[in-house]
Amino acid sequence: MTGPPATDAHTRPSVRAMTWNICGEAGGGTPGTGAYCPDRNDPRAKAAAVAEVVRARDLNAVMLQEVCSGPFVPGLNSGSGAPSQLDEIAAELGPEWSFRWAEVWRPATTAFPQGSSYCRGGLTGTLSVAVGVKGRIDWQRIRTMPVPVDAGQSRTQALCVGAAGWESHLCTAHVANFDAAARQGRMTQAEADGLYADQIGVIRETAAGLPSVVVGGDFNTRLRTKLQPLYDTLYECDERSYFPGDAAAEPTHFSPATGSTDPVTGAITDSRYGTARLDYLFSTEAFSGCDSWTEKADQADYTPAAQPACDNVTTPRVCVPTGTSDHAPVYGSTQGGPALDWRMDGTASGGSRGLTGTPSGGFSWSTEPGGALELDGVSGAVTTPGPVLDTRRSFTVSAWAKADPGTGTAAVLAQDGEVISGAMLWYNAPDRTWRFGMPRADGPEWNVDQAISRTQAATGVWTRLTGVHDAEAETLTLYVDGAPAGTAPHTTTWAANGPFVVGRDLVKGRQNAFWDGRVRSVETYDHPMTAAQALTHARTLTAPTARAAQPSATGPAGCQALGGYGTVSSRTPTLTVHVAHPDPSKQVWAEFGLWDNTDPTRPQPVALGTPGSASGKAVGRGTVTLTVPPLVDGHAYGWRARTTDGTTASAISTNCHFRVAAG
């Protein structure tokens, strides 16, 4: 998919997901036995490896293949019944995480005509694919892949889950490839291609039914043509680079050259590895970054010269891997909501990073509609405990600013380096322009690439300023009230690792250009906004999101977009959504519509746009509610909403569904 992301992508929380075939059950136990799987029989080692990636990359979702899940199965699982790999992973990540898994069946045998799925080799549980989220999973869908029982390949299932409060769903699968069977003459290539295409069709069809989804898995092919149906409808995270020097389409599978072994000792005589790209992440939203952590895949040298104790004549045989699987994890972040989101209405906190700013010097909190931070132009500022922006990569910064008349040159926000700020958004007094700039080095010289507004800035007026650094395009762009105002090249990047600051910048190692005026709604994003996104962000009402949507004030039903899955006990539930206005000082509310899915002939309880459809109001943004008239016990209902300020209205939200409990 090559088009721009949805213009309202900034309203969706970002999904930071990983897919990893951890070879938790398949593969050989020692090098030279084929498809060697390090730590195959050590669930705790597998769990530690998964947790390391999650914590190092601040992930909130994982998709796993070839993992042992579920309870001990007497008569099938051998060993003592220790926790399964997924149990160990869940324990390692902690109670904030929840998991679901789906069974995978090996090829049919005489003993198991439908294929076996128990985990072998002393392991507990069932061979499976699994999904975990940092949150509470409240919905799942499982579809068995169309692989014939007698086709000689494992039959997997496509597993999709949804989590409470999440905009996006997550789906994973392990796709079977039949090319080897075609080469061996057990089927034609056309038949092999057809079986593969049928599986991809299931994944595509499942994803197409979800308004926002991240799909990941071991798709068992290096050929883009076989995955084209997914590329046609979704973004793939590693098909492009995200900054200069970032490699795209990195390998994810490492195969040792185990065919070259000593016929007497069985020692490996070839240390080389073959590589292939078999694992992928797709999403309905564009990605802000992606990587294959290749070092996590085993690439050890097992030849006698490197590891003399790793051969068949050594007792005990000691082989030391460098990774924990024959696959590398692939992780990526979707473009989504702000990493830092400070309303500046009395506090400086909010956003996915969880950073809170500390005010200092001459500051106060304004009580004007929507609230604001007021700074004195001498010493007032708000500072984070650490960096927010990675100035080597793409990002977006945005804020509403009002400079007091007569102010001098002053910075709205900056990301400090050691000597100079690595990114700055400021008012330049001599020519009365807005500017967004990034220095070429962390030094005392003023070598700053600057995007400069083409028209003069107005003081005493609230202005939405947005600065975009596109590291791949090597450009800076400034938007004023959503309109493109200036661009500049920026070809040399460096990491500014100081604090993020509202109200000043840093020049020649000294705090500089203190803001004289007011600031509110400070946001940062880990991706470069497009022109359409910047315009929407500054001027357009966006539809309410499912993030805070509920069919009752306290019920667990949530916004189920795919049918009547949630149940509420009240016949007069309260519909709840989160709304936002691009101007934080404006009043905003929601208009609701609700209809009877069980009996469509009944009058619509709440009609969108009628006087009875309007919720309460919020200033800038907030959660708003509407209590509906009495409904019918046992009936299923659909509902939706749109944001309005009385003059304009947003697009209509995704349909949500719930059922009223039978009386």
Side-chain angles (χ1 to χ4, degrees):
M1 189 169 180
T2 57
T7 55
D8 64 348
H10 60 271
T11 66
R12 299 187 187 276
S14 174
V15 176
R16 304 180 302 278
M18 167 181 71
T19 182
W20 197 359
N21 181 333
I22 65 170
C23 72
E25 197 274 348
T30 56
T33 57
Y36 172 49
C37 180
D39 301 321
R40 179 183 184 275
N41 297 315
D42 189 345
R44 289 187 178 180
K46 296 288 187 186
V50 171
E52 180 186 7
V53 180
V54 168
R55 290 167 182 152
R57 298 298 181 259
D58 188 29
L59 305 180
N60 57 13
V62 296
M63 290 170 270
L64 304 172
Q65 303 84 47
E66 292 186 16
V67 60
C68 292
S69 305
F72 182 77
V73 184
L76 292 177
N77 294 146
S78 57
S80 61
S84 70
Q85 291 160 354
L86 194 62
D87 289 339
E88 293 283 8
I89 291 168
E92 186 74 28
L93 292 179
E96 291 182 292
W97 285 75
S98 59
F99 292 84
R100 297 289 176 89
W101 57 274
E103 191 172 9
V104 174
W105 298 273
R106 301 182 196 87
T109 64
T110 302
F112 295 93
Q114 297 302 311
S116 60
S117 61
Y118 64 94
C119 282
R120 303 165 294 185
L123 295 169
T124 289
T126 300
L127 180 62
S128 68
V129 295
V131 177
V133 302
K134 194 174 183 180
R136 177 176 59 84
I137 294 175
D138 61 359
W139 174 88
Q140 76 171 34
R141 174 176 290 170
I142 298 175
R143 292 190 61 182
T144 302
M145 289 296 204
V147 175
V149 174
D150 59 353
Q153 284 283 350
S154 293
R155 287 183 300 132
T156 187
Q157 300 190 87
L159 168 66
C160 296
V161 306
W166 282 48
E167 291 290 332
S168 295
H169 294 75
L170 300 159
C171 297
T172 191
H174 189 173
V175 181
N177 188 305
F178 297 89
D179 286 350
R183 289 193 299 269
Q184 296 163 5
R186 292 186 284 116
M187 64 176 65
T188 67
Q189 187 62 54
E191 290 171 330
D193 291 343
L195 289 172
Y196 190 93
D198 289 345
Q199 297 171 85
I200 297 302
V202 167
I203 296 172
R204 179 181 180 177
E205 179 186 344
T206 303
L210 301 168
S212 178
V213 64
V214 177
V215 179
D218 179 352
F219 293 155
N220 226 339
T221 186
R222 65 185 76 193
L223 300 177
R224 178 179 174 129
T225 53
K226 290 194 172 186
L227 298 172
Q228 197 59 47
L230 299 181
Y231 280 99
D232 288 342
T233 54
L234 301 168
Y235 294 93
E236 191 268 298
C237 79
D238 205 26
E239 67 176 331
R240 48 155 290 197
S241 62
Y242 295 87
F243 54 91
D246 176 33
E250 292 186 279
T252 67
H253 184 246
F254 293 78
S255 304
T258 54
S260 300
T261 58
D262 187 290
V264 177
T265 66
I268 296 174
T269 58
D270 192 337
S271 62
R272 294 173 298 175
Y273 282 77
T275 62
R277 187 178 183 222
L278 304 180
D279 306 83
Y280 301 83
L281 274 178
F282 291 89
S283 175
T284 46
E285 266 67 59
F287 288 88
S288 60
C290 187
D291 198 14
S292 170
W293 198 338
T294 55
E295 292 81 4
K296 296 299 178 184
D298 184 38
Q299 300 163 65
D301 183 349
Y302 293 108
T303 61
Q307 298 197 44
C310 183
D311 63 49
N312 289 337
V313 297
T314 303
T315 304
R317 184 172 182 174
V318 179
C319 303
V320 181
T322 61
T324 195
S325 174
D326 56 344
H327 288 254
V330 178
Y331 58 88
S333 298
T334 63
Q335 293 186 10
L340 181 144
D341 183 9
W342 292 351
R343 298 182 67 170
M344 293 300 194
D345 57 357
T347 61
S349 63
S352 63
R353 294 282 173 82
L355 292 174
T356 297
T358 301
S360 61
F363 79 94
S364 61
W365 298 109
S366 170
T367 58
E368 65 182 279
L373 171 70
E374 189 164 1
L375 299 170
D376 66 355
V378 177
S379 61
V382 177
T383 308
T384 63
V388 172
L389 307 174
D390 185 341
T391 51
R392 300 166 300 179
R393 302 193 178 209
S394 298
F395 63 82
T396 299
V397 293
S398 187
W400 280 89
K402 181 165 70 171
D404 285 347
T407 186
T409 297
V412 178
L413 57 83
Q415 170 76 57
D416 284 353
E418 292 186 9
V419 180
I420 192 170
S421 294
M424 298 169 277
L425 185 62
W426 78 97
Y427 169 72
N428 195 65
D431 60 358
R432 297 181 62 187
T433 57
W434 296 112
R435 300 192 178 201
F436 173 56
M438 296 183 70
R440 298 164 200 161
D442 191 11
E445 297 81 11
W446 183 256
N447 292 320
V448 180
D449 296 323
Q450 304 174 50
I452 304 171
S453 63
R454 290 181 286 270
T455 57
Q456 286 193 331
T459 59
V461 176
W462 280 110
T463 305
R464 168 67 87 176
L465 302 171
T466 301
V468 175
H469 172 225
D470 189 326
E472 185 184 20
E474 299 183 318
T475 58
L476 306 178
T477 305
L478 173 66
Y479 297 91
V480 177
D481 290 329
T487 61
H490 182 61
T491 59
T492 304
T493 61
W494 53 279
N497 292 321
F500 180 84
V501 185
V502 175
R504 66 155 180 83
D505 59 18
L506 187 73
V507 176
K508 295 183 178 180
R510 297 190 299 270
Q511 296 180 4
N512 178 71
F514 283 89
W515 183 255
D516 185 6
R518 299 180 182 185
V519 181
R520 61 189 180 198
S521 192
V522 176
E523 300 169 348
T524 71
Y525 296 82
D526 293 334
H527 62 272
M529 280 192 182
T530 63
Q533 286 175 317
L535 179 64
T536 299
H537 181 244
R539 298 186 185 179
T540 306
L541 291 173
T542 53
T545 69
R547 179 176 37 179
Q550 293 282 344
S552 70
T554 58
C559 173
Q560 301 294 346
L562 305 174
Y565 298 100
T567 300
V568 297
S569 57
S570 173
R571 295 180 61 214
T572 56
T574 298
L575 305 180
T576 304
V577 295
H578 185 81
V579 294
H581 199 287
D583 183 340
S585 69
K586 301 295 186 182
Q587 281 194 326
V588 64
W589 59 95
E591 292 178 333
F592 290 87
L594 183 142
W595 59 94
D596 193 320
N597 281 328
T598 301
D599 184 359
T601 65
R602 298 180 66 90
Q604 190 170 340
V606 179
L608 191 72
T610 61
S613 71
S615 73
K617 297 179 180 180
V619 177
R621 57 178 163 169
T623 298
V624 295
T625 62
L626 177 75
T627 300
V628 304
L631 304 178
V632 180
D633 289 342
H635 279 216
Y637 291 87
W639 63 284
R640 57 189 182 179
R642 66 187 178 194
T643 304
T644 183
D645 61 2
T647 302
T648 60
S650 74
I652 298 173
S653 70
T654 299
N655 290 345
C656 302
H657 299 269
F658 66 91
R659 185 180 299 278
V660 178

